[in-house]
Amino acid sequence: MLHIALAKGRISEQVIAFLEAAGIHFPEYNETSRKLIFVDDTDSFKITLVKSPDVPVYVERGAADVGVVGKDILEEHSYSLYEICDLGVGRCRMAVAGIKGRSLPTGRRLVVGTKYPAIARKYYASLGERVDIVPLNGSVELAPLVGLSDVIIDIVESGNTLRENGLEALTFFMDLSARLIVNKGAFRFKRKAIDRIIACTKGGTEDGMD
């Protein structure tokens, strides 16, 4: 049996739709169910629904063979696994955003609020800039509004949340989407089943194995 870890929500719904279209059916699955584990009707595939940041942890440690997770999580942390392909779903961008119409300060380090401190550090290091990073877990849009930071770095899809809070995207610097990841051992010993999952998502583009 191939064990697949999926993030609860829109990505899991889209991936399960891919699998169903390819003939892999999960009779007990529905979007309103509170169950977290589903098995297909041939007992060949098992899906576990977890929180998005936990997907690569499950895969790396072998609790799942395969997973689907946003590129932002793979960029923010370092995992020992294979990143197989871009599924082309859950597309969004990482952006620097600030208060609309307000100039950025000069003469001191920029203060950046973000849920992605590693990504923020890498981005500003690539620009040769030294900044103060404020790691946050909640609604990062609040940070510049209350004076906690000058700007934020966060994921932007439609931009509606920024606009509703008086913010605007200043720079987009990273394209993001859902990626298929595989446990290294499973890739060796469960290759046939994994190839079937890859075929189900063949609209994606191969990234190679990192």
Side-chain angles (χ1 to χ4, degrees):
M1 180 180 287
L2 190 77
H3 187 178
I4 307 167
L6 298 177
K8 291 183 284 186
R10 186 176 61 181
I11 286 180
S12 66
E13 293 166 8
Q14 291 175 307
V15 172
I16 290 172
F18 283 153
L19 300 178
E20 293 275 353
I24 302 174
H25 303 295
F26 298 87
E28 295 186 341
Y29 173 77
N30 68 75
E31 296 175 5
T32 61
S33 174
R34 292 183 177 273
K35 287 189 65 175
L36 299 176
I37 297 177
F38 302 91
V39 177
D40 81 310
D41 53 10
T42 66
D43 289 332
S44 299
F45 299 92
K46 178 170 69 174
I47 284 175
T48 299
L49 302 181
V50 302
K51 287 188 176 294
S52 186
D54 293 338
V55 171
V57 178
Y58 275 64
V59 173
E60 180 183 49
R61 291 182 172 269
D65 304 306
V66 175
V68 176
V69 68
K71 182 66 171 177
D72 55 301
I73 292 172
L74 299 177
E75 288 287 337
E76 180 65 19
H77 304 282
S78 178
Y79 299 101
S80 179
L81 46 76
Y82 294 143
E83 181 182 333
I84 299 297
C85 64
D86 179 352
L87 300 189
V89 298
R91 292 196 179 280
C92 51
R93 293 182 289 177
M94 192 71 74
V96 179
I99 295 176
K100 186 175 182 179
R102 179 179 293 182
S103 299
L104 297 182
T106 58
R108 63 169 175 83
R109 289 190 188 184
L110 194 69
V111 182
V112 182
T114 185
K115 289 183 280 190
Y116 303 95
I119 290 174
R121 289 189 187 97
K122 285 188 283 187
Y123 170 65
Y124 282 105
S126 73
L127 300 177
E129 296 183 22
R130 299 180 68 185
V131 297
D132 288 332
I133 305 293
V134 181
L136 297 170
N137 294 306
S139 299
V140 294
E141 296 84 6
L142 287 171
L145 301 177
V146 300
L148 181 61
S149 71
D150 301 310
V151 296
I152 60 172
I153 282 183
D154 201 13
I155 292 174
V156 175
E157 292 185 71
S158 67
N160 289 336
T161 302
L162 293 179
R163 286 190 289 272
E164 289 175 4
N165 288 283
L167 305 178
E168 63 180 352
L170 305 176
T171 305
F172 293 100
F173 66 91
M174 184 184 294
D175 293 326
L176 303 168
S177 56
R179 308 302 169 100
L180 182 68
I181 57 175
V182 179
N183 174 273
K184 289 183 176 181
F187 191 77
R188 180 179 178 185
F189 294 108
K190 298 185 178 183
R191 184 63 183 268
K192 185 175 180 179
I194 290 169
D195 284 345
R196 187 176 176 190
I197 297 300
I198 294 171
C200 293
T201 58
K202 60 184 177 182
T205 57
E206 292 192 6
D207 288 342
M209 295 175 292
D210 297 337

